[in-house]
Structures are given as structure tokens and as C-alpha cells.
Amino acid sequence: MTTHSDPTLTRLFTPRSIAIVGASATPGKIGAMPVSLLRQHGYEGRILPINPRADSIQGLPAAPDLAALDTEVDLVILAVPAAHAAQALQSARPGQVGGAVVFTSGFSETGASGAAMQDTLCAIARERGIRLLGPNCLGFMNVRHNVYATFSPAPANGAVALGGIGMVSQSGAFGAYAYCMARERGLGLSHWISTGNEADIDVADCINWLAHDADTRVIMAYMEGCRDGAKLRHALAAARDAGKPVVVTKIGRTQAGAQAAASHTAALAGDDAVYDALFRQYGALRARSIEDFFNLGYALDTWKQRPQGKRLGIFTISGGVGALMADEAEEAGLSLPEPDAAAQARLLERVPFAGPRNPVDVTGQVVSEPGLLLATADDMLADGRYDALAVFLAAAGSSEALWPTFETFAREMRARHPDVPLALCALFPPERRSELERLGTLVFEDPSAAIRTIGAVAGLAGVSGTASDAASRATSGPASNAASRATSTAPSNGSIDRTNNAGADAPIHASAPLRDTYNEVQAMDVLRQAGLPVPDCALATDADAAVTAALRAAGPVVLKVVSPDILHKSDVGGVKLNLSGEDAVRHGHAAILDSVRTHCPNARIDGVLVAPMAPKGVECIVGVHGDPVFGPVVMFGLGGVFVEVLKDVSFRLAPFDHAQALSMIREIKGYALLQGARGAPPCDINALADALVALSRFADARREDFSSVEINPLLALPDGQGVLALDAVLIPSAGRS
């Protein structure tokens, strides 16, 4: 028997005995439906109707309550009014019941009185060791074991096929719709679960359980929200580590909780951006529409071998549609390598008017010369330059005369090129489509949908099926030396203090006293001790001290006002750059103070920071925002217009490793500037990633102390010269003790 992560859920979802409290013989009542479905679909376990006013229900002997049963019960279905649910469960003997599904509504979704009843129900369940699914849910189905613990009429109108997709939904209505859609599209399910109010078992519990379920290969989830971010992260990590892709539709794209005035990070890290980061970080595919939701589930379940990269071959009988597919491929992040020159020459010799490049266009010649289809595709794939192949056949798929050609093509492609998944775009009759799908070929009517689906699935290439969770690594074992690498790659020009840098293995500034506010110097000191590369600087409380510090720097300096009340110094004239000599420093010092007092007359001024002018580099911005569900979220982007106007940023949930940091950096549209643009040298991207790792570990370790961190700019220097944190804002958590 398969060992699951949670044996209590295994007992609930694979019950050998089911009691239905509120069982009924009256068609249409919710207590009648599960009894009917279990019998209709051949459930082999014991069915135990509970009804105090009947001796039998639908031909089965009935008991008045759970206490009257002479046996343990793996699953109890509560199909009674909310006011009677707790009493019904309380009648069970301690240890008698393994799990309960609560159909009934009228609990926390209705207000305070309903929430109180839900709390009572949960307390009874906890006392007796009973796991609860619901309340206010449609229940669940275990398709392999014919368990239909639901009152949805959907399976009564036709059962879904048995397959490898585990489906879980917070919404019962969407869940029922998804069940019917899966049935209509021929998708096979292993399990179907509706979680409702999630008083106990939530979507994360179900994803985690399905990740360990031997009958499930793909997990599809519909989410409206999440109350336990750590549990959801763990569940997605479990699915990733098991090699089971997760497709998620998450609704509610809001900016709730963002404090735009606090920092760029808070302004940009809305709920939706955080969920995007979560799914990307753990290799889950987010579907933006119901069509994409099912297309992705379909592709992942049908293709036993997924694309191992993003190189797509397009083979078409229409040049126009080929161009459309090429446009879609570019938007989906797919590359279109040309076939080998010799292969192009062979095609032109056979079809002089063909288009031999990618997309490869053989025109309608394939209809009059059936062997051309397999020969051309075989030639394209001979040297292993494609990770997937998409073929557009237009209306030819409806031709009965050409069916043997297409069937042979799909069969031979699977045999000759098993590592290159195939998608056919054509109008095939349903029975022909099903046959092609049995051969492992995707079939789409819409070529654009085909390309979008291939692009999304190809994005999973490189997502490890065995990688451990960065969050658990950070808290349960020795941390990597990413932070110390960040300091060792910084410039050796004396601008960085290396004597007080703590590596990631050391406590992260744990002994430093907490403050109510932090000025820039104090913030930079905290970040220095967290392993981030910070330049050597001095805090001058008067003009003489500023001159002394500037002369010690032996080169041009920057002056910046230091105040816990001023977040953006340049906005109030609080920054002067590239100053040399005593007169320039004195003038700059005076000008800063005058401007700041004009713009912010009530601001506390701790002094003026004096630091060496930084070398040339690319200005980046990094920050941390405390999400109420998922904790600290790290942002990365390029500075200036890229963050202010274009909002070209990426996010990850802290903590994360070097590989995730690199992925985060490469994700932004301005990545080319870091690689070196217009003759500029490439930046030290590894050092940039190390700094992000160090910041993520600091954010995780100090999540209770700081609500926001922003380093702007974090200067990325040329490759091999590291990075420099030139300015920082550190905001303590509200109500921190």
C-alpha cells in the first residue's frame, strides 16, 4: 500500500466504510445523493445509512446515530442542517470515526453565529481525532475506488474516466464544473476534492496528499485564497520533489495590503504578484483562464515525456498560420531554430515551392503526397535540435482518406522520437482525436492555444523533481555561504568593510539591539552584518567632520543627508555627488541642510553621510516586503524608470538559494542591460545573485523585526568586481516588542 504523507487523510480519502448521517431515500435530497452514487458506481466498502426515522434507506439497513453502529467508520458524511451537525458527530464514540465530510452550509460563511457553530464542530472533531473536509463543501470522489462522497449531480450524469489527474477546488461550483469539463474533454481523474470553508483540511493539505498518491501524476487546483502560506509552500515543494506538476487557477488579483508610501517594494508586491512569485518559485503553472487551466492539465497528463527545453519546431501546410504560430511562440518564450541546412535542401529538392525554414511550410503538397509528412518531420528531428514539434494540418484532419497517414505519423513519431512531444492542430472527429491522444499526441483545434500550452509546459524544463525546499534548508540545516561569497566578490578598492561581515552560517545580526527607527548609517550597518556588501562611510555631524571624512577618502565623495524621517533623499535635495576638495564639501554640506530644512522642516537630522564615489555600474533595486500570508517577499529590478514607470521587477518568497536568485534576475525584461549592452561590460551577475540570497536569508531570519527593507541602488559592477549597496531603508515591524 502506498505510504502517504498524512495517514489520516489516506483513511478519509480511501475509506473502507462510509456512514451517511441524514441519509435519505427521497430523490433530490442531499442525503440521498451519496447513497445513490456509491451504489450506482459500485463502491465495494460498507455503506451505513444513519437516520433515526427509518429502518432502511435505499434497501440498506439504517441506524439511528453513529453510536448505534457496532463498527469503526473510516468516513462519515454529514448531510444534516448546520445546527445538528455537531450533535451528530458528538454521538460517535472516541476513536470510532476517521474523517468527516460536511456538506452543510450555514457555518462561518454566514457570519458570527455560523462561525461559532463551526468552531464547536471543529472542537468536537479535534477531541475525537476526526479530520474534517468542509463544511459547506461538495465533498470528494476517489475515482479508482469508486468513492463518491458528494451530493453533486455531475457523476450521476456520467462518470469521468479513471486517470492520473488529481483535482482540488476551494469552490464547489467551480469543482462541479471542472468535473464535467474533464469528462467532456476525456481527461482522466484520480481524485476530485472540494474543500469549502476549510475549517480543517485545506487545498494545501490536499495538494500535499496528492503529491504522495501513487494514482496521481498531475495536480490541478482552483484557489480563491490562502490562510497558511508556509503550508502551501511545503505542499508545492512536495509536489515538485515528487515530479508531479501542479496547475493552479488563482482568482482575486488585488493589491490589498500594499503600502505604496512605504517603498517601491510594498507598492509593487500586491497579492497577485506574490502568488505569481510563489508558483514560479515552486514550479507550479498558473493558468490565467479556464481554457488554459484545462489545456495545461490535458497536456501534462497526455504527454508522458514533457519538453526538455524551449526549442520548438513548427511544421505547417499553411504559411499564414505558420507565421501566426511563430508569433505566438515568441510571446510564449519559445525559440524557433532552423532545420539543418542539408534537411532544408532535401525538402526543397522534393517540394521546390516549400518554405524550409522554421516554421517549415510544405503547403498542401502533404495531401497529395502523404509520405511527405513523416519524412519531413523525421528529417527535422534527426539531429536533436527541437524539444517539441507542433504540426498544423488545417481541415485535412477531417479527411477519412488521410486518417491512416495521420495515425501512422503519430505512431511512428512516438516510436522514432519518444523524447520529442508532438502536438497536432487540426479538426479531427472525436474518436480520431481520442486515438491520437492514446498515442501520446496532443490535439488542438486552435493552433494559438497549442503554442501557448507548449510554451507553458516547456517552462517546467529544469524545474527539479528532487530539489529540496529552500525554506526548509534555511531553517533546518546549515545555510550556504552565499552571503560570504557576496562580500568576497566585491571590489578590493577599500570601499567595503570586510572586517564585520557575517556569513550565512553565522547568526544574522541577532545580537544587535533593536531600534524604533533606523537612519541610513544604522540600516547599512545591519545589512553589512547580514553579509551584504556595503561601502566604507562616515557620519558627519558638522561641516568640519564632513571635510575630514572626505579628505580621508582620497577621492571624490558623495554627501547624503541622514534622517530616519526621510526615505527618498534626492526628492528633498539631500544628495550631492562627485565632490572634491574642502570648499566643495563645505558648500555641498550647507546646501543639503538648507534644502532639507526647506522641504522637511520637522525632520530629525542625524548628520550627513560621507562616502567615496562608487565606480560605474548598473543601478538595481532590491527590497523586502512583509506579506501577511507568506511572510517576507524579496523584489529585484533595475533602478530608475524600470521600476518607477515600467514596473519591471521580479519577486521570490524568502529564503531562496542561488539558483532561484539567478532565475529571478533573468526574469526581468531589462536583463540584457546586465549582460552588457551597447558595448558596456557584463555585470557581476553571480555576485548580484549572492546579494539577493543574503538579503532573503536576512529577511527570513528577521521577519518578526522588520516589515520592509529597500536597497536603492544596489550597484552591479562589471563581472568579477561584485556589487555595492549604496543606500538602504530599514523599517521595523509595527508593534514589535
Side-chain angles (χ1 to χ4, degrees):
M1 181 176 176
T2 303
T3 300
H4 297 281
S5 60
D6 189 335
T8 65
L9 294 189
T10 299
R11 185 181 180 190
L12 186 154
F13 289 132
T14 57
R16 292 167 294 182
S17 56
I18 303 175
I20 301 95
V21 179
S24 174
T26 305
K29 286 197 171 183
I30 66 169
M33 186 62 76
V35 179
S36 299
L37 290 174
L38 289 167
R39 302 187 72 194
Q40 174 187 340
H41 292 287
Y43 171 65
E44 295 180 356
R46 294 187 66 187
I47 304 174
L48 306 166
I50 305 292
N51 190 319
R53 294 185 297 275
D55 294 329
S56 67
I57 298 291
Q58 298 187 37
L60 297 170
D65 56 27
L66 291 171
L69 298 175
D70 61 358
T71 181
E72 291 187 356
V73 181
D74 290 330
L75 174 66
V76 169
I77 295 173
L78 295 180
V80 294
H84 302 300
Q87 181 182 355
L89 203 59
Q90 195 164 23
S91 69
R93 298 184 299 275
Q96 182 185 17
V97 174
V101 172
V102 188
F103 291 163
T104 319
S105 58
F107 288 94
S108 64
E109 79 279 5
T110 63
S113 61
M117 285 196 296
Q118 183 167 305
D119 290 342
T120 300
L121 183 68
C122 289
I124 294 169
R126 282 194 301 271
E127 177 187 325
R128 286 163 168 70
I130 299 170
R131 298 304 305 270
L132 283 181
L133 184 66
N136 186 31
C137 76
L138 273 182
F140 75 92
M141 306 176 219
N142 180 328
V143 181
R144 179 173 294 280
H145 294 96
N146 300 314
V147 179
Y148 287 83
T150 181
F151 65 94
S152 170
N157 300 325
V160 74
L162 173 64
I165 296 176
M167 187 175 288
V168 55
S169 172
Q170 286 180 326
S171 163
F174 180 86
Y177 173 77
Y179 179 92
C180 296
M181 284 288 292
R183 183 180 61 207
E184 295 304 311
R185 293 198 57 167
L187 300 184
L189 302 185
S190 58
H191 300 271
W192 177 95
I193 306 168
S194 163
T195 59
N197 287 7
E198 299 188 342
D200 173 19
I201 299 167
D202 61 13
V203 163
D205 290 313
C206 297
I207 291 173
N208 190 46
W209 188 83
L210 291 168
H212 294 84
D213 176 55
D215 294 330
T216 300
R217 295 188 303 272
V218 178
I219 300 168
M220 297 177 68
Y222 174 89
M223 293 182 59
E224 296 173 349
C226 172
R227 293 193 293 265
D228 190 333
K231 187 197 288 188
L232 183 56
R233 291 183 71 173
H234 178 76
L236 293 174
R240 178 202 60 201
D241 294 350
K244 298 184 180 182
V246 178
V247 180
V248 183
T249 290
K250 164 66 178 69
I251 65 167
R253 304 176 192 174
T254 72
Q255 293 292 320
Q259 299 173 4
S263 68
H264 295 94
T265 309
L268 294 170
D271 292 352
D272 203 53
V274 174
Y275 277 99
D276 264 350
L278 167 74
F279 299 141
R280 191 173 291 112
Q281 193 162 339
Y282 289 93
L285 295 177
R286 184 172 187 179
R288 299 285 179 170
S289 67
I290 291 176
E291 179 190 15
D292 288 344
F293 183 66
F294 285 99
N295 283 344
L296 290 171
Y298 163 64
L300 291 164
D301 189 50
T302 303
W303 274 345
K304 301 307 180 280
Q305 176 66 43
R306 300 198 297 267
Q308 296 304 296
K310 297 187 176 183
R311 304 169 302 168
L312 176 66
I314 297 176
F315 180 12
T316 176
I317 64 174
S318 164
V321 175
L324 171 68
M325 294 169 75
D327 289 342
E328 292 282 1
E330 182 176 351
E331 290 187 12
L334 297 166
S335 65
L336 299 174
E338 289 191 15
D340 176 71
Q344 294 189 48
R346 285 189 291 272
L347 175 60
L348 288 172
E349 184 177 346
R350 190 166 183 171
V351 184
F353 44 84
R357 304 170 69 185
N358 193 11
V360 173
D361 176 18
V362 294
T363 72
Q365 188 70 16
V366 73
V367 176
S368 58
E369 193 178 343
L372 182 62
L373 182 65
L374 181 59
T376 304
D378 210 20
D379 219 7
M380 287 178 68
L381 302 181
D383 61 355
R385 67 179 61 200
Y386 298 110
D387 298 302
L389 182 66
V391 180
F392 178 71
L393 297 170
S398 60
S399 168
E400 192 68 24
L402 288 173
W403 167 245
T405 297
F406 300 142
E407 182 187 28
T408 299
F409 175 67
R411 195 179 302 278
E412 287 298 314
M413 289 295 291
R414 182 179 182 184
R416 300 183 192 186
H417 307 283
D419 295 334
V420 182
L422 174 66
L424 295 182
C425 307
L427 299 174
F428 287 104
E431 66 277 6
R432 301 304 193 198
R433 175 183 179 131
S434 297
E435 179 60 28
L436 291 169
E437 290 167 346
R438 281 192 288 271
L439 293 172
T441 298
L442 296 185
V443 180
F444 290 90
E445 293 182 359
D446 179 1
S448 294
I451 300 300
R452 287 196 303 271
T453 303
I454 294 170
V457 175
L460 292 174
V463 174
S464 172
T466 58
S468 59
D469 186 1
S472 61
R473 284 203 306 272
T475 56
S476 62
S480 74
N481 63 351
S484 57
R485 287 204 310 272
T487 61
S488 66
T489 55
S492 57
N493 59 7
S495 62
I496 295 179
D497 178 6
R498 292 186 176 78
T499 63
N500 199 22
N501 280 307
D505 291 331
I508 301 179
H509 205 36
S511 61
L514 297 175
R515 302 174 182 271
D516 293 331
T517 59
Y518 288 79
N519 63 34
E520 180 185 351
V521 174
Q522 294 160 345
M524 297 281 267
D525 183 55
V526 172
L527 295 177
R528 176 188 291 111
Q529 295 188 52
L532 284 138
V534 175
D536 191 12
C537 58
L539 178 62
T541 56
D542 56 34
D544 290 340
V547 170
T548 300
L551 294 176
R552 190 166 57 242
V557 296
V558 56
L559 303 185
K560 294 188 284 185
V561 67
V562 176
S563 168
D565 301 321
I566 300 173
L567 295 181
H568 304 296
K569 303 172 183 63
S570 58
D571 293 347
V572 296
V575 179
K576 297 296 180 184
L577 302 174
N578 206 26
L579 303 178
S580 296
E582 178 177 347
D583 290 344
V585 171
R586 288 187 183 278
H587 179 75
H589 183 275
I592 285 176
L593 295 182
D594 288 344
S595 180
V596 169
R597 285 167 181 152
T598 299
H599 289 88
C600 304
N602 297 320
R604 292 166 291 170
I605 299 175
D606 296 338
V608 173
L609 180 144
V610 183
M613 280 295 295
K616 289 185 177 181
V618 175
E619 290 191 0
C620 303
I621 180 172
V622 299
V624 177
H625 169 67
D627 183 82
V629 175
F630 295 102
V633 180
V634 178
M635 181 196 77
F636 169 76
L638 297 184
V641 67
F642 292 95
V643 67
E644 297 281 0
V645 178
L646 302 181
K647 297 177 174 57
D648 182 20
V649 294
S650 60
F651 294 93
R652 291 293 185 277
L653 279 60
F656 48 80
D657 59 16
H658 189 79
Q660 278 290 340
L662 287 174
S663 176
M664 188 178 181
I665 294 166
R666 293 168 182 154
E667 211 168 276
I668 65 169
K669 298 179 179 67
Y671 176 58
L673 294 177
L674 294 170
Q675 292 178 294
R678 295 180 176 270
C683 294
D684 197 334
I685 292 173
N686 276 318
L688 195 56
D690 287 339
L692 285 168
V693 170
L695 182 62
S696 82
R697 294 188 182 279
F698 167 78
D700 180 57
R702 303 295 297 274
R703 63 172 61 210
E704 301 301 325
D705 298 331
F706 300 108
S707 65
S708 177
V709 182
E710 189 159 292
I711 303 173
N712 184 16
L714 177 68
L715 191 67
L717 300 171
D719 194 22
Q721 297 181 34
V723 297
L724 275 174
L726 299 183
D727 199 350
V729 175
L730 198 60
I731 300 178
S733 299
R736 184 195 64 212
S737 59

